Amino acid sequence: MNRYVRVWVAALALCFSACSSLPPVQDRMASTAFTDTAHTRLGLALAPALAQHAGKTGVHALADPRDAFVARAVLAAMADRSIDVQYYIWRGDEAGTMLFEALWEAAQRGVRVRLLLDDHNTGGLDPTLAALDAHPNIQVRLYNPVGQRAVRAINYLTDFSRVNRRMHNKSFTVDNQMSVVGGRNIGDEYFGAGRGMVFADLDVTLVGAAVQQVSLEFDTYWNSASAYCAADLLGRGTAADVQALQARFSANRSSQEAKDYLEAVRASPLARRLLDRTFAFEWTTARILWDDPAKTLGTEARRDDLMFPRLIQSLGRPDKRLDIVSPYFVPGEQGTASLSAMARRGVEVRILTNSLASSDASVVHAGYARRRADLLRGGVRIYELKPTAVEARDNDRGIGSSASTGLHAKTMAVDGERIFVGSFNLDPRSLLLNTEMGVVLESPRLAQALSAGFATTVPGVSYEVRLGEDGFNLVWIEQTPDGPKTHTTEPGTTWLQRTGVTVLSVLPIEWLL
């Protein structure tokens, strides 16, 4: 269910009072990350660098979508003891099926696999998840599950206040030695597979001190009151389910699209560096941030346990520059005032978000559009990604690679010194409803790369939004080979799209976005 549909379901939900029923959380064994993994292949390979950089975190940015797939696939293949995986979305498409198979193959080698998925987006995957869970070395848990699985929209009518809160966290950790954290979910559009849209996104690979923090975050969610054993919801996977899953693996692997994609993946420089053990890290200080999973239960999470206040504290007060990349940017009245005040005291505030033409959530665009003019009057500079952006495959650009695409990266940098990469959007949903996670890095290299991207890459792949000469209407400036081109309406959109956004922007739905 996308955000647009969710808003209208919320309105209908006021007419219903019954609740979807869930089974009691029973016979659920608590478990934690393995700590004795120094003698795994990853542990031995990383030991010299970890000893040289004691207490530090090694970080490598994954902006290219194929590199992001390679990192996960190669890590799964290198696993000796454990794989801990936590995602908001895991699609059963080409890339998703290949990574499901990577987990299965690791389990076949005796690796313990713990798979924690938010249940909002698992529609159609119940047989696959039941079959995975049937493997003795794979445990599947569903976070904040829906009670009515056949017609999922009913849950939003009968139990809206609960199921409207989702686990948006994203991490992939192997042997408690290496983690991938960032904005990507699992699916073709996140890894440049298939023939559809590709999201411009950003992950980071982490080793060292921060990995133990990621594992602690995973354990906290895995053992939380909102994580249900898959078998309690789906039933026990049967031999027929397992056979069907293996047949699906084989068919997916044999498809021409998968063969073409894997051939391209093998050509990835990152694949060679991983296999040759010449993968380079920047060693720095890192802090993993996450929401208390009690946030999912409503009022049980204290403000001190929420991620956003700690994110602001960790990034620090900007003195010179604040660069924000957020695909779903809904600053609200307070955020608009804060960013404008910052710009007025001399801080350069720059924002990259989706244009209406590139957004996959026009209802969210409505929440942003109503604040756009006030932000510009306050001195904030705004860029909106074009729906067909120029491809950029440099990992140090910091904003993610882009093709025919929408923006999905969530990152921000302060004063060219510190940078955040994670799942957190600057919108009310991330702030108040969903759980989130990410990492703050003391990395001038990555922070300055993001800032440099605003000066070099961003103007060519986006429209800069400005106030018109009347100080009221907006214009969109596009850089073209023939010079700047001015648009007086949102480029690449129809009258109907713009009218819909205008109508939505006046409705009292900002808290849902």
Side-chain angles (χ1 to χ4, degrees):
M1 180 182 291
N2 63 32
R3 295 189 187 211
Y4 184 86
V5 175
R6 190 183 294 157
V7 167
W8 294 109
V9 170
L12 291 173
L14 298 176
C15 303
F16 292 80
S17 60
C19 289
S20 303
S21 59
L22 290 173
V25 179
Q26 57 186 0
D27 300 328
R28 194 189 66 170
M29 295 288 292
S31 62
T32 57
F34 294 137
T35 57
D36 55 339
T37 59
H39 294 292
T40 62
R41 283 176 292 172
L42 272 175
L44 293 171
L46 293 170
L50 293 176
Q52 186 178 355
H53 303 281
K56 296 290 186 179
T57 294
V59 57
H60 183 95
L62 299 170
D64 183 271
R66 289 173 180 166
D67 283 353
F69 179 89
V70 165
R72 291 164 172 86
V74 171
L75 281 176
M78 294 181 69
D80 288 330
R81 294 289 311 282
S82 64
I83 303 177
D84 292 333
V85 184
Q86 178 181 18
Y87 281 97
Y88 173 60
I89 295 174
W90 192 307
R91 303 206 188 282
D93 54 18
E94 179 183 302
T97 299
M98 284 191 281
L99 288 176
F100 273 143
E101 185 174 14
L103 299 184
W104 182 273
E105 290 177 346
Q108 290 286 82
R109 300 194 305 270
V111 175
R112 183 190 72 175
V113 177
R114 295 189 294 174
L115 175 60
L116 179 61
L117 298 181
D118 183 88
D119 198 33
H120 174 64
N121 293 289
T122 59
L125 286 179
D126 283 5
T128 296
L129 297 177
L132 288 168
D133 191 56
H135 195 291
N137 292 326
I138 301 178
Q139 304 167 47
V140 180
R141 290 186 182 176
L142 299 178
Y143 192 88
N144 200 24
V146 297
Q148 170 54 254
R149 307 196 70 77
V151 184
R152 286 174 166 247
I154 290 176
N155 296 279
Y156 284 86
L157 296 174
T158 61
D159 200 7
F160 180 80
S161 62
R162 180 182 67 83
V163 297
N164 187 45
R165 296 175 178 271
R166 306 312 323 172
M167 181 191 75
H168 200 231
N169 312 35
K170 303 162 177 67
S171 68
F172 193 109
T173 302
V174 171
D175 287 340
N176 203 10
Q177 292 287 333
M178 188 178 293
S179 296
V180 179
V181 171
R184 286 184 178 89
N185 295 297
I186 305 297
D188 287 353
E189 64 267 43
Y190 303 99
F191 299 123
R195 302 185 184 278
M197 121 182 298
V198 179
F199 278 126
D201 218 325
L202 181 64
D203 297 320
V204 288
T205 303
L206 304 172
V207 299
V211 177
Q212 284 67 50
Q213 297 175 45
V214 176
S215 291
L216 175 61
E217 181 274 344
F218 181 90
D219 288 344
T220 301
Y221 277 80
W222 181 257
N223 296 309
S224 72
S226 296
Y228 285 68
C229 296
D232 292 340
L233 299 158
L234 313 179
R236 298 289 177 182
T238 65
D241 292 329
V242 172
Q243 289 176 350
L245 180 62
Q246 292 174 328
R248 184 175 178 184
F249 289 158
S250 179
N252 184 65
R253 203 183 320 114
S254 301
S255 73
Q256 190 58 50
E257 283 192 358
K259 290 179 180 178
D260 291 343
Y261 180 71
L262 289 174
E263 187 61 33
V265 161
R266 291 188 188 99
S268 161
L270 179 66
R272 292 194 296 272
R273 291 198 297 269
L274 279 169
L275 295 173
D276 295 343
R277 297 187 179 183
T278 57
F279 193 58
F281 292 100
E282 175 190 7
W283 292 91
T284 185
T285 301
R287 183 182 181 188
I288 301 294
L289 305 175
W290 68 87
D291 281 307
D292 186 327
K295 184 180 182 183
T296 306
L297 303 177
T299 59
E300 295 189 23
R302 301 175 304 168
R303 178 174 174 79
D304 291 346
D305 293 326
L306 297 181
M307 175 177 160
F308 185 66
R310 285 178 285 145
L311 173 59
I312 296 302
Q313 180 185 32
S314 297
L315 282 174
R317 182 178 185 267
D319 292 322
K320 300 176 182 178
R321 184 178 300 113
L322 174 62
D323 293 317
I324 297 172
V325 178
S326 181
Y328 309 120
F329 177 64
V330 185
E333 183 177 359
Q334 184 176 349
T336 299
S338 296
L339 292 170
S340 297
M342 203 178 296
R344 289 189 180 110
R345 67 176 173 83
V347 176
E348 183 180 21
V349 180
R350 298 181 292 190
I351 296 165
L352 174 65
T353 190
N354 274 309
S355 64
L356 178 55
S358 67
S359 178
D360 65 337
S362 59
V363 66
V364 177
H365 191 84
Y368 147 70
R370 68 183 298 188
R371 306 293 179 185
R372 196 162 39 189
D374 288 339
L375 287 165
L376 292 170
R377 293 189 188 99
V380 176
R381 297 187 69 177
I382 300 175
Y383 298 86
E384 296 180 355
L385 190 74
K386 296 179 185 178
T388 306
V390 176
E391 191 164 3
R393 292 192 179 275
D394 184 347
N395 281 352
D396 288 340
R397 297 284 178 90
I399 59 169
S401 64
S402 50
S404 179
T405 186
L407 184 67
H408 198 260
K410 306 121 173 51
T411 184
M412 59 189 82
V414 169
D415 291 341
E417 296 291 334
R418 296 169 298 283
I419 188 168
F420 167 79
V421 180
S423 69
F424 189 91
N425 289 298
L426 281 173
D427 64 10
R429 175 158 290 279
S430 285
L431 181 65
L432 301 171
L433 297 173
N434 290 349
T435 65
E436 308 286 352
M437 72 172 295
V439 59
V440 173
L441 299 160
E442 295 284 342
S443 174
R445 186 177 69 83
L446 289 178
Q448 290 170 20
L450 179 61
S451 295
F454 270 92
T456 57
T457 305
V458 169
V461 301
S462 65
Y463 311 105
E464 183 175 4
V465 188
R466 299 178 187 171
L467 289 170
E469 293 182 359
D470 60 3
F472 178 76
N473 291 303
L474 304 181
V475 295
W476 287 258
I477 309 300
E478 178 183 10
Q479 301 299 327
T480 75
D482 298 323
K485 179 180 179 180
T486 300
H487 302 267
T488 56
T489 59
E490 300 198 57
T493 64
T494 65
W495 175 86
L496 186 61
Q497 284 177 296
R498 297 190 296 273
T499 301
V501 166
T502 300
V503 171
L504 288 168
S505 67
V506 300
L507 297 178
I509 58 174
E510 199 169 58
W511 68 278
L512 280 169
L513 305 181

